[in-house]
Amino acid sequence: MIRYWCEQAMVDGGNAPAVAERVEIEAQDGRIVGISAGVEPSPDAHVLPGVVFPAAANAHSHAFHRILRGRTHHNRGDFWVWREHMYRSASELTPEAYEELATAVFAEMVVAGFSSVAEFHYVHHQPGGKAYPEPHAMELALARAAAAAGIRLTLLDTLYLAGGIDMPLSPEQARFGDGDVRAWLDRLDSLRAEIARNFPAGMINVGAALHSVRGVPEAALAVVAKELPTDLPLHIHLSEQPAENIACLEAHGLTPTGLLARHGLLSPRLSAVHCTHLTDEDIALLGNAGATVVMCPTTEADLADGIGPARALADAGASIALGTDQHAVIDPWIEMRALEHGERLGSGERGRFSPEELLHAATEGAARSMATPVAPAALQVGAVCDLVAVASDSTRTAGSKPQQLPLSATAADVTSVVINGELLASDGVHRRLGAVGNLLTAALKNFS
């Protein structure tokens, strides 16, 4: 039995989450087995100062994009500057370099308060497209990295067959592809078996992703709809840019959302990422399907994608989740705030999402898009013991009401992170791996 004592904690209050004082949490086998409020700490309890919340879930990550932070803004940093750097970074990845980089990136997520991540992974093969002698070399590197950092991983193995609608993969994209959809399905099945043999199911799992309707031809969408195992979560980049919508309309007479609907791919298991440029009909289709929409506000701002219709999607019935995508920022609190700020800028209104809704998007909303256990938006018995403690007296948070910390805190205010019952981070330092800045500095030396 492990005990954590919290000065304050966001707990399940029955009808709504509530902040309780002097809370002791008992954990066993990675699960919360007891919660007591209004008590003094047991002699063996670990004290978590500040306000304790369920740890965040990162619903969309490209770990190798962390290379790009602070490197794509010269000559005013237009999209083509960013794209050139992204493909260069992808070309330089090896299994060994990626494992070192991803370990550092996942450790950065942990100290920021994330306990799980959905890694949208498409760098499968060697440059040029030839398979590695170990066909899952890149995927296993990511799994080992997550295990080292202690973060829960949903490895979203991605189908990527085309460089655009009716276009072959470019030379830079050759290592992303599997040739055809059934070769990908076979490799995905083999990967699932390999991960299950070598990693604990509650920590490392496999999901599936389609890169986009640009990257997956319609005939392949039909095969995926019929043959993809139904127990896998499915993610896709959707309507990130107007050009994608225009190309899809010209080729198919449908928006990307409409094309997915044609093949029965809209469902509660689908997570659509970005959804920046949707029609009213698209919003209704996603909402009626009960799909998850993963917004990545800091990336969408960095790439000038635009402000997605998050409030309209939530009102239509979609579940909103948050991700860090290209890691211009790795900070769940800033993503929460950026979601609300984008809505305010787009609408001219305050209060588009309540603090409770923002916290839900960063925890349960995101975790439900994954294959790892769901962490609810408030602490409760039976849930996984994934916790994050936030200082309530920092320069940024002093005076904030605990429930409103999503609008004032940052990752710099995180004092402790617990994952699967283990205290993994204290005051910005990863307890297994040390100072994350050192890890990142060493890993990034492998890339130009």
Side-chain angles (χ1 to χ4, degrees), residues 343-355:
E343 280 285 324
R344 292 182 183 188
L345 289 168
S347 69
E349 299 176 354
R350 294 185 90 236
R352 300 283 286 175
F353 286 92
S354 69

Side-chain angles (χ1 to χ4, degrees), residues 173-196:
Q173 298 166 326
R175 68 185 309 192
F176 306 162
D178 286 296
D180 62 63
V181 62
R182 287 194 168 82
W184 172 72
L185 285 167
D186 289 343
R187 189 177 55 74
L188 176 64
D189 184 61
S190 173
L191 175 63
R192 294 183 73 188
E194 187 73 11
I195 293 292

Side-chain angles (χ1 to χ4, degrees), residues 21 74 80 121 175 177 188 190 194 205 211 217-218 235 249 279 289 379 391 397 426 428 434 436:
E21 304 282 339
H74 61 279
W80 301 106
H121 168 65
R175 68 185 309 192
L188 176 64
S190 173
E194 187 73 11
N205 293 88
H211 180 268
E218 183 176 12
H235 291 225
L249 283 165
T279 66
L379 304 177
T397 62
S426 299
V436 175

Side-chain angles (χ1 to χ4, degrees), residues 8 24 44 67 84 96 112 121 125 135 142 149 154 188 191 198 226 255 265 304 320 336 350 355 362 389 396 409 420:
Q8 295 179 299
E24 188 159 279
D44 61 344
I67 302 166
E84 177 187 351
E96 296 77 18
H121 168 65
H125 307 300
L142 288 167
T154 298
L188 176 64
L191 175 63
N198 291 284
K226 292 178 181 177
T255 65
L265 287 167
I320 304 299
M336 287 185 249
R350 294 185 90 236
R396 291 157 296 278
N420 202 39

Side-chain angles (χ1 to χ4, degrees), residues 181-245:
V181 62
R182 287 194 168 82
W184 172 72
L185 285 167
D186 289 343
R187 189 177 55 74
L188 176 64
D189 184 61
S190 173
L191 175 63
R192 294 183 73 188
E194 187 73 11
I195 293 292
R197 278 193 298 269
N198 291 284
F199 298 93
M203 297 300 296
I204 312 290
N205 293 88
V206 175
L210 312 174
H211 180 268
S212 59
V213 299
R214 295 175 289 109
V216 180
E218 183 176 12
L221 291 178
V223 174
V224 170
K226 292 178 181 177
E227 299 186 21
L228 184 71
T230 57
D231 61 332
L232 288 176
L234 178 64
H235 291 225
I236 186 172
H237 296 123
L238 193 72
S239 290
E240 183 176 2
Q241 297 176 346
E244 177 184 342
N245 292 348

